[in-house]
Amino acid sequence: MGIDMYQSRPVVSMDRKISVVINTYNADLHLRKVLESLSGFDEVVVCDMESTDDTLSIAREFGCKIVRFPKGDHKICEPARNHAIQSASHGWVLVVDADEVVTPQLREYLYDRISDNKFRSALAIPRRNLFLGKFATGSGDYQLRFFEKSKCDWPATIHSRPIIDGEIENVPSGRSELYLIHLDDPGLSKRIDKINRYTDYEVEKRVGKRYGTVKMLFRPMWFFIRNYIFNMGFLDGKRGLVRSYFAMLYQIAFMSKIYEQNVNNKKTYKL
């Protein structure tokens, strides 16, 4: 694991400086737009898992600090999260995916918060998501992404939430200018592929988990209702309906695979 180069803003005070951390693997599709949106931060750290596309050349073009994490058999970025975070030079860290844009308003909001030396909370930031070519209506899904480096531990499992030693606040959901902008918008076939792949990873990390019949029946329904009604998917017409279907489908696939795993563990054959 080596460091190629870095470029940071002038030193002010440790408490008022922010490192942005991005984990990458073949992430050149949106990376240029993402890095353009990060130009006002003190440092940008790209933790790369042996990309074979233009990811590293784009990172060097923007003067990012580059660190390496061996990909090996890893299929997700979470095992590299702690290495990426601890590679940051500054005390405050913002974690951004390689397909998420940070607005100028969000950047200024973060600097305003840490300008108060008494501020020590981690921040969960809402994210606006694309679906079938348009941004989904309703409140964004919250991502816990801003914290003090020394107070964070990120579990090495898919879709894990960082463990924070301290208080957690939500960035106001009513201020749309503070949302992370999620650029990823795969077609429905690719979304189905992702559901299949991600639910496989979920099953791997939940060995021994069991769901009763009632939960298997109602949990998918709840995810549909939450997305379509409470997150106002109905305002997006058929797009919102399809998006809610996919939220339900993820749960159906996940719980069915858990059930399959438990059945396979109990299999006995009489010849």
Side-chain angles (χ1 to χ4, degrees):
M1 303 175 191
I3 295 177
D4 288 7
M5 65 174 68
Y6 71 92
Q7 183 180 60
S8 60
R9 286 172 27 160
V11 175
V12 182
S13 113
M14 180 61 74
D15 281 344
R16 299 192 180 190
K17 292 158 67 178
I18 299 173
S19 293
V20 182
V21 169
I22 308 174
N23 286 87
T24 59
Y25 174 68
N26 289 347
D28 64 359
L29 180 60
H30 301 295
L31 187 59
R32 190 177 299 278
K33 285 184 178 179
V34 172
L35 294 180
E36 286 173 352
S37 77
L38 302 177
S39 61
F41 286 94
D42 297 290
E43 176 186 59
V44 178
V45 179
V46 171
C47 179
D48 189 70
M49 299 176 71
E50 301 177 343
S51 291
T52 58
D53 62 0
D54 291 331
T55 293
L56 290 178
S57 62
I58 294 172
R60 293 189 184 100
E61 176 186 337
F62 281 84
C64 299
K65 175 179 180 179
I66 300 173
V67 298
R68 316 281 184 148
F69 188 91
K71 186 177 187 302
D73 295 329
H74 298 305
K75 299 175 183 178
I76 56 176
C77 69
E78 281 82 359
R81 285 288 199 199
N82 278 329
H83 176 65
I85 292 167
Q86 295 308 315
S87 298
S89 302
H90 306 308
W92 286 96
V93 172
L94 172 66
V95 175
V96 174
D97 285 346
D99 57 6
E100 294 174 343
V101 167
V102 177
T103 64
Q105 294 91 339
L106 176 57
R107 182 185 67 239
E108 294 307 314
Y109 177 85
L110 297 178
Y111 276 104
D112 285 346
R113 295 303 303 272
I114 65 172
S115 66
D116 179 357
N117 288 329
K118 295 181 180 179
F119 175 76
R120 286 293 180 267
S121 298
L123 293 177
I125 304 172
R127 183 173 64 172
R128 191 173 302 285
N129 298 290
L130 283 166
F131 190 83
L132 296 181
K134 294 183 179 180
F135 286 108
T137 303
S139 59
D141 59 318
Y142 271 88
Q143 306 291 321
L144 183 49
R145 298 290 189 79
F146 188 68
F147 40 75
E148 290 183 275
K149 179 175 70 172
S150 62
K151 295 184 177 181
C152 172
D153 179 60
W154 207 300
T157 54
I158 189 169
H159 294 161
S160 57
R161 184 178 172 93
I163 299 170
I164 301 297
D165 179 15
E167 295 183 358
I168 298 172
E169 296 181 23
N170 285 345
V171 171
S173 62
R175 297 184 58 182
S176 59
E177 75 277 10
L178 302 181
Y179 282 36
L180 288 168
I181 308 300
H182 192 199
L183 299 177
D184 186 43
D185 187 23
L188 296 185
S189 292
K190 288 185 177 180
R191 287 183 184 272
I192 291 173
D193 290 341
K194 288 179 71 173
I195 287 175
N196 190 44
R197 188 168 67 254
Y198 285 0
T199 50
D200 279 348
Y201 302 155
E202 292 268 13
V203 171
E204 288 176 8
K205 81 174 185 180
R206 302 197 189 198
V207 176
K209 180 73 175 179
R210 284 178 170 78
Y211 289 101
T213 302
V214 173
K215 182 162 282 190
M216 289 184 68
L217 178 63
F218 287 103
R219 183 180 170 95
M221 294 181 186
W222 161 244
F223 273 78
F224 176 86
I225 292 170
R226 187 179 73 175
N227 279 270
Y228 192 66
I229 297 178
F230 293 105
N231 287 346
M232 297 183 287
F234 63 89
L235 295 176
D236 292 331
K238 291 180 180 178
R239 281 192 312 112
L241 184 62
V242 172
R243 188 165 183 260
S244 301
Y245 283 157
F246 271 71
M248 180 171 64
L249 180 59
Y250 188 98
Q251 298 303 316
I252 292 171
F254 168 61
M255 288 193 295
S256 297
K257 288 181 179 182
I258 289 285
Y259 174 69
E260 178 188 42
Q261 180 187 69
N262 293 330
V263 168
N264 288 339
N265 290 340
K266 294 180 180 179
K267 272 184 179 177
T268 58
Y269 296 95
K270 294 182 180 180
L271 300 178

